[in-house]
Amino acid sequence: MNAKYSLSLLLLLYCLNLSAQQTAANLQGNVKTTKNEPAAFVSLLIKHSQIGTITNEQGKYSIQNVPTGKHILVVKAVGFDLIEKEINIEENRTLTVNLTISAATTQLQAVEVTGRKEQTYKNSYAFSGTKTETPLRYVPQAISYVTKEVMLDRQAFKNSDVVKNISGVNQFSYNNNDFVLRGFRASNTMINGLRVSSSGWNQSLIPHVERVEVIKGPASALFANTDPGGTVNIVTKKPLDENRKSVNFTTGSYNTYRLATDFTGPMNESKTLLYRLNFAYQNAESFRVLQGGQDVVVAPSISFIPDEKTHANIDLVFMSSVGKLDRGQPIFGATAGTQLNSTPISFALGKKSDYIKELNMYSTLSLTRKLTDWLSFNASYMKFMYNEDLMEHRTSNGYGMDADGKAIPTLMQMQTIRRQTRNYTDNVSAYFISAFNTGKFEHKLLVGYDHILFHTALGNSNYNAGGFINAAGNGVVLTKSGTPAAYDPKNRSLYMIKDNMPVPNVPFFNLENPDYNITDISRYYNISSAVTPSRYYADGVYIQEQFKFGKWNGLLGLRMEHYTDMLNYTLKTEKKVKQKALIPRVGLVYTPMQWVSLYGTYTEGYQPQSAGTIGAPEIYGGPFDPLISNMIEGGAKMEYFKKRLAVNLAIYRIEQNNVLVNAGAPDNLNLLRQIGQQRATGLELDAYGQITPELSLTANIAFNKAEITKSTNEAEVGKIFPNAPRKQGGFWAKYKFPQKAISGLAVGVGSNFVTERTTNDTKNNLKLPGYTLLDAAIYYTVDKFRLAFNLNNAFNKTHWVGGFDYNRLFPGAPRNFLIGIGYSF
C-alpha cells in the first residue's frame, strides 16, 4: 500500500506541476520614449503581484512565468508618466508587448527625490545645472561627474579618490574638498544643490553618495557666491522603488578594514513609502607617520510619494571622523636646490597625543508638488552642523634660527593648537516652475528664492602656544596686540638665549631626528582666547527661462544677490556690512543631429570680500571691491554606440578680478592689496559609458593655462597659479569577459597623469614634478557574490598631489592594494 500511495502522490505532484506550467507563459518586448529612444531601467510590474523586471540599456525586457489570464501591466520610470496597460496571457504563448512612455507633463520635477536606476558609468540627467531635471546634453555648460559604479569599481571611498576621474580637477592639499578647478582653488561645496559653508578637515567616507558632480565655471546665477573655476556638488543616494541590498567588506594596505552596507526598497505594497539606509565603518592607518583613524557614516533616507503629483524626501547624514590633522610633509630649509626627497614622503610633524575629532551632521527635507499640469512648486531645506575638537603640534611655517636670525634648515618652528568649535549652516531654496508653449516655442520658466545663513556662536575657544620665551623665563615675548612675537635679532635682549639660539615656547622639531612622543601641552606657555563669533547670510531672488524651438534649446538667467556680513558680531560695535550683485547667465544649445549638441554660454560669478576685511581699512587697507568673475565657454556634447557612451568637449576662458593678496608692508603685516586679474583658458574632454556591453569607460583630459594677467606689481604678470597643471588627464576601463568558460570574470585598468605645477613659494621657485600613475583591478562575480582586487600606483611612483611651500607638501600614496568582497541580495 505504501508503494501505491507513494506512486499516486508522485503522479499528483507531476500533474500539478504540469498544470502550473500550462497556466503560465512569458511576456517580453521593448520600451521606447516618444523620441524613439530606448528607455533604459524602466520598471514593469504585474499589478497586485511580485512579478516584474526592469528594462536593460537597450530598453528590452522579459518576464518569465506570468500566470495566464488578464492582468494590468504597470510601467513606471522617474520623469515619465505612469502607464497601466491591460494584457491577456494565453497558455503556451510568449506575448510581445512594445510600449512607448511619455515624459511626465512638462517634466516639472526639480528635486531629486527618488534614486537613479542607471547602473553604468554614464549619467543622463542632472538637476544641478538648471535646478530642473534636464538632460545633460541640453545644459549649456560643462558638468562632469563620477557615478557610484565608477566608485565601486575603483574602490574609491573618499573625494580625493574620485576627482582624478574628472577633467580639470586636482588636489591642492589633503584637506576635505580642497581642490583646484580649472586652475582656481575651490572652497565651495554643495550637497544636493544646497550650499555648505564648512565640512571639516579630514575627508569622510562617501558610501551614501550616488555621484559627484562638478559644475564647471562660475555658478553664481543659481547658487550665490561660488568659485570661478567650478563648484563640487555631492548627490546623495535616494530610495528606489525596488528592493536592492548589498554588504561589502574591504581590507588591504595600511591595515585597512572597512564595512559598507546599502539597503533600499519600498516600505509598503503600494510603493508610496520608500527607504534607503547606507552605513560604513572604516579603521585604517596611512603611509604617513601617525596618520589614519576611524570613520563612521550613517545615512538613512525616506521618500514619500502619495500620488503622482507629490514627492517628498527626508535625508539624515551622520559622519564621524577621529584621527589626526595631516598638515603635510616638511622638507629641509628653503634654499636653492633643496630636494623634495630630503625627507621621506611618509614624514609628518606632530605628536602621538595629537588628535582631531570631527562630526558632520545634516538633515535635508525636499518637496516637489505639481499644482497643475503646467505649474509646480519645489522646496528644500538643509540644516548642517560641524563640530571640531582639535589638538595638534604643527609648524609655524618657518624654520628654527640662531641668535643672529640665521635659519637652520633642519629645524622647524612649532606651535600647538587646542581648539573646540561648532558652526551651523541653514539653507533654504524654494521656487516655482511653469511650463507652457507660445506657438512653436516650448518654455520652462523658473522663479525662485534662496536663503543661506552661516553662524558660529559664542563659546568656541582656542588654547594655543607658540613664539619664544622671554629673557626672564616667565612667559613669551608678545606683540602690542598680545600675540606671540616672532624672533627679532635686533632686540635679542628681550629673548632667552641658550646655546646661541632663542629658546622656543614649543621646542623646534628636528627633521633629522624627529620626536613623536606624547607631550603634555600644559608645560608650554598657552594663551587662551575665544574664537571670534561670526554670522553672515545671503538672500537671492532669481529667474530662469529655458526654451526650446526646433533644434534649439536656450537658457536665460538673472539673479539679484544680497549679502550681509556681521562685523564685530555679538559686540556692542556690531554692524551690518552689506554687498549686492546682479548676476546674469545666458546659454544656447543647437542639436543638428540626434547624436550631437553644440553649445555656447556666458556666465558671471560673485564672491563678497569678508566683513572683517572690508570693514577695517585701518588694518587691511581698502576699501576693496568684491571678487567678480566671468566665463565664456563653448563645446559639444555627443553620444555614440546607441547612446551608451557620452563624450563632452569644452573650450573656455575664465577671468577673475579683485583678488586680495598680502601687500608685504614691513610696518603692517596685515595690509592687503588687490592684484588685478587672473585668467584661465583651456580645453577639456570627458567620456563616460559603454563602448560595448562588455567594455565600460570613463576618461578625461584637460589643457589649462591659469595665470595672472593684470597686477599692480608687473613682476607678477604671467605667473602661473599654484597647483594648476598645464596638462592632466586619465582613464578607467573595465572589461567583462563574455565567454561562458570564464563567466563572471572582469578586469580593470586605469591611469592618470599630471604635469609640473608651481606652489605658493614663488620666491624660491618651488615646483612639484609631474607624474603618471597606473592602477589595475580584477573582479570575479559568482551568483550574488563579488570579489575585487585593486592595485593602485602599480609602479610605485613617488609623486606629490599638491603643496603650499617647503613646510607643507602633500605626497601621494605609494603602491597599495585593496581586497573587497560584496554580497547583493
Side-chain angles (χ1 to χ4, degrees):
M1 293 293 291
N2 289 339
K4 292 181 180 179
Y5 284 130
S6 297
L7 181 59
S8 300
L9 182 59
L10 288 173
L11 288 172
L12 178 61
L13 291 174
Y14 174 78
C15 291
L16 289 173
N17 183 58
L18 182 62
S19 175
Q21 291 179 1
Q22 290 176 339
T23 57
N26 299 332
L27 176 65
Q28 66 180 24
N30 294 304
V31 181
K32 294 184 177 181
T33 69
T34 52
K35 297 180 180 180
N36 202 34
E37 299 173 348
F41 312 112
V42 173
S43 294
L44 299 102
L45 181 72
I46 302 299
K47 198 169 185 177
H48 305 307
S49 79
Q50 298 297 317
I51 302 172
T53 187
I54 62 173
T55 59
N56 63 16
E57 294 165 1
Q58 289 76 44
K60 297 180 180 180
Y61 73 91
S62 177
I63 305 176
Q64 307 294 319
N65 298 321
V66 182
T68 57
K70 293 184 178 181
H71 302 281
I72 301 296
L73 178 63
V74 181
V75 185
K76 293 176 64 177
V78 175
F80 291 87
D81 287 330
L82 177 76
I83 295 178
E84 291 192 355
K85 182 177 179 64
E86 184 175 308
I87 59 174
N88 186 19
I89 302 295
E90 299 179 2
E91 293 182 13
N92 300 321
R93 290 188 59 184
T94 296
L95 179 64
T96 299
V97 177
N98 297 322
L99 299 157
T100 299
I101 58 176
S102 302
T105 307
T106 65
Q107 285 194 1
L108 295 182
Q109 181 182 343
V111 178
E112 196 160 358
V113 176
T114 54
R116 165 183 169 270
K117 290 186 178 180
E118 288 179 289
Q119 293 180 292
T120 72
Y121 291 3
K122 180 175 179 282
N123 181 55
S124 301
Y125 289 81
F127 293 80
S128 57
T130 60
K131 287 198 174 183
T132 64
E133 185 183 18
T134 303
L136 282 167
R137 58 188 297 198
Y138 297 138
V139 178
Q141 192 166 349
I143 299 178
S144 300
Y145 58 84
V146 179
T147 66
K148 66 180 184 299
E149 288 73 26
V150 178
M151 300 179 206
L152 175 64
D153 287 342
R154 302 205 73 167
Q155 298 207 61
F157 293 95
K158 297 191 176 184
N159 283 336
S160 58
D161 302 323
V162 173
V163 295
K164 59 186 178 184
N165 298 287
I166 299 178
S167 64
V169 183
N170 59 283
Q171 287 180 252
F172 198 102
S173 71
Y174 293 148
N175 298 341
N176 190 32
N177 298 320
D178 189 10
F179 302 122
V180 177
L181 309 180
R182 288 185 169 178
F184 297 90
R185 190 177 182 186
S187 59
N188 290 310
T189 302
M190 295 191 301
I191 299 174
N192 297 322
L194 299 173
R195 289 282 306 280
V196 177
S197 296
S198 176
S199 56
W201 297 93
N202 292 331
Q203 298 184 44
S204 301
L205 302 182
I206 51 174
H208 60 299
V209 172
E210 172 69 38
R211 64 185 178 273
V212 176
E213 300 175 336
V214 177
I215 307 167
K216 301 294 186 63
S220 296
L222 275 183
F223 302 109
N225 48 311
T226 60
D227 298 296
T231 303
V232 177
N233 182 42
I234 306 297
V235 181
T236 59
K237 293 177 181 177
K238 301 297 188 298
L240 297 175
D241 60 2
E242 59 190 47
N243 286 306
R244 291 185 190 175
K245 300 178 179 66
S246 66
V247 178
N248 291 276
F249 173 74
T250 304
T251 187
S253 297
Y254 316 123
N255 298 316
T256 296
Y257 300 94
R258 182 186 301 127
L259 176 67
T261 65
D262 185 357
F263 295 166
T264 186
M267 299 175 68
N268 55 9
E269 291 185 3
S270 62
K271 296 187 177 181
T272 58
L273 197 61
L274 314 176
Y275 84 97
R276 193 153 195 166
L277 176 62
N278 288 100
F279 167 82
Y281 169 80
Q282 176 176 280
N283 190 311
E285 297 178 11
S286 168
F287 73 97
R288 305 269 299 146
V289 174
L290 295 181
Q291 302 306 312
Q294 296 184 69
D295 296 271
V296 176
V297 177
V298 182
S301 179
I302 294 177
S303 291
F304 178 52
I305 311 172
D307 53 53
E308 288 300 308
K309 295 183 178 182
T310 307
H311 290 187
N313 192 86
I314 300 174
D315 292 320
L316 176 65
V317 179
F318 171 92
M319 297 184 290
S320 172
S321 177
V322 179
K324 292 179 173 62
L325 179 50
D326 192 345
R327 297 282 187 174
Q329 170 202 4
I331 59 176
F332 288 176
T335 58
T338 297
Q339 298 297 312
L340 294 176
N341 58 5
S342 60
T343 61
I345 60 172
S346 60
F347 197 89
L349 298 179
K351 296 290 185 177
K352 183 69 175 177
S353 48
D354 290 349
Y355 60 85
I356 182 170
K357 300 175 183 179
E358 294 183 287
L359 174 63
N360 286 281
M361 187 165 63
Y362 61 91
S363 59
T364 308
L365 173 63
S366 301
L367 171 70
T368 177
R369 172 67 180 175
K370 191 174 179 180
L371 303 175
T372 69
D373 287 344
W374 55 272
L375 182 66
S376 76
F377 173 71
N378 306 271
S380 295
Y381 169 70
M382 180 171 67
K383 181 78 170 183
F384 191 100
M385 185 271 286
Y386 171 70
N387 189 83
E388 174 196 56
D389 185 0
L390 173 68
M391 172 62 234
E392 68 167 335
H393 288 72
R394 60 154 297 183
T395 172
S396 297
N397 302 328
Y399 290 89
M401 60 188 68
D402 62 18
D404 296 323
K406 182 180 179 181
I408 304 173
T410 58
L411 298 180
M412 296 291 299
Q413 289 188 42
M414 298 293 291
Q415 61 178 314
T416 65
I417 298 178
R418 179 76 179 94
R419 182 171 63 230
Q420 293 183 338
T421 62
R422 175 176 290 191
N423 58 56
Y424 298 90
T425 305
D426 289 87
N427 199 312
V428 177
S429 178
Y431 46 97
F432 290 91
I433 300 177
S434 173
F436 57 93
N437 296 337
T438 55
K440 295 183 178 181
F441 281 85
E442 299 176 18
H443 302 271
K444 192 183 294 184
L445 181 66
L446 183 151
V447 178
Y449 165 76
D450 289 342
H451 175 76
I452 304 167
L453 170 65
F454 177 81
H455 178 217
T456 300
L458 284 168
N460 297 324
S461 180
N462 284 309
Y463 187 65
N464 300 345
F468 294 86
I469 304 297
N470 60 29
N474 58 3
V476 295
V477 179
L478 300 176
T479 63
K480 292 181 180 179
S481 60
T483 59
Y487 176 69
D488 181 4
K490 296 179 182 178
N491 295 303
R492 60 186 297 171
S493 61
L494 299 176
Y495 302 84
M496 178 180 287
I497 306 296
K498 187 176 181 180
D499 298 328
N500 198 37
M501 294 175 61
V503 177
N505 185 15
V506 181
F508 296 145
F509 195 91
N510 193 325
L511 301 182
E512 294 180 307
N513 185 26
D515 176 9
Y516 295 111
N517 291 329
I518 294 174
T519 300
D520 181 5
I521 64 170
S522 64
R523 61 188 283 192
Y524 311 136
Y525 293 101
N526 289 275
I527 297 176
S528 184
S529 61
V531 174
T532 303
S534 63
R535 181 185 178 92
Y536 72 78
Y537 53 91
D539 295 279
V541 179
Y542 53 92
I543 184 170
Q544 176 183 275
E545 154 75 345
Q546 290 176 267
F547 65 85
K548 182 178 181 181
F549 176 75
K551 297 181 178 181
W552 295 89
N553 284 267
L555 185 150
L556 302 171
L558 189 66
R559 181 187 187 92
M560 186 68 219
E561 183 74 12
H562 292 269
Y563 181 89
T564 303
D565 201 345
M566 309 301 291
L567 181 64
N568 300 325
Y569 180 53
T570 71
L571 301 179
K572 292 182 179 180
T573 56
E574 173 184 303
K575 68 176 182 179
K576 294 180 179 179
V577 177
K578 296 185 177 182
Q579 302 170 68
K580 63 180 180 179
L582 188 65
I583 309 164
R585 180 190 187 192
V586 59
L588 195 62
V589 181
Y590 176 58
T591 308
M593 293 168 282
Q594 200 174 51
W595 60 274
V596 61
S597 295
L598 308 175
Y599 75 93
T601 189
Y602 173 82
T603 184
E604 293 186 359
Y606 161 78
Q607 288 179 290
Q609 311 284 10
S610 71
T613 299
I614 66 174
E618 68 281 2
I619 299 175
Y620 300 103
F624 299 115
D625 297 321
L627 290 169
I628 300 294
S629 59
N630 66 78
M631 179 184 73
I632 299 174
E633 178 182 292
K637 300 185 179 185
M638 300 156 280
E639 292 181 317
Y640 299 97
F641 304 105
K642 297 181 179 180
K643 299 192 175 183
R644 294 195 305 266
L645 182 73
V647 178
N648 302 328
L649 171 69
I651 303 172
Y652 60 87
R653 188 218 66 191
I654 304 172
E655 290 182 347
Q656 179 171 243
N657 297 280
N658 306 325
V659 178
L660 291 179
V661 298
N662 193 281
D667 56 338
N668 183 2
L669 298 179
N670 294 309
L671 189 65
L672 301 174
R673 63 184 175 88
Q674 291 185 312
I675 65 171
Q677 185 182 88
Q678 297 175 324
R679 177 184 296 169
T681 55
L683 178 150
E684 296 170 345
L685 188 66
D686 293 271
Y688 320 87
Q690 290 183 305
I691 296 177
T692 69
E694 296 80 26
L695 180 60
S696 298
L697 174 72
T698 176
N700 67 87
I701 191 168
F703 304 89
N704 179 69
K705 185 178 182 180
E707 60 182 343
I708 298 173
T709 49
K710 295 180 181 179
S711 176
T712 53
N713 181 0
E714 288 295 326
E716 291 178 331
V717 175
K719 287 189 175 181
I720 302 298
F721 299 175
N723 293 298
R726 294 292 296 270
K727 302 174 186 177
Q728 67 181 104
F731 76 94
W732 178 260
K734 178 186 176 183
Y735 182 77
K736 296 185 293 185
F737 292 97
Q739 295 84 357
K740 288 186 177 180
I742 50 177
S743 176
L745 185 65
V747 295
V749 63
S751 177
N752 67 289
F753 77 91
V754 175
T755 57
E756 183 181 70
R757 292 137 293 150
T758 63
T759 66
N760 297 71
D761 191 346
T762 55
K763 178 181 178 181
N764 296 287
N765 197 30
L766 178 63
K767 295 184 178 181
L768 304 176
Y771 59 86
T772 300
L773 307 180
L774 178 69
D775 301 333
I778 186 169
Y779 316 95
Y780 183 64
T781 303
V782 54
D783 194 17
K784 296 180 179 181
F785 286 93
R786 182 180 190 269
L787 300 174
F789 174 81
N790 288 72
L791 182 65
N792 301 313
N793 193 2
F795 295 135
N796 203 29
K797 176 71 174 180
T798 299
H799 62 290
W800 287 264
V801 298
F804 289 98
D805 47 37
Y806 281 76
N807 304 313
R808 293 169 294 170
L809 302 175
F810 302 96
R815 180 168 50 231
N816 63 91
F817 72 91
L818 291 169
I819 299 174
I821 179 170
Y823 179 69
S824 301
F825 55 100

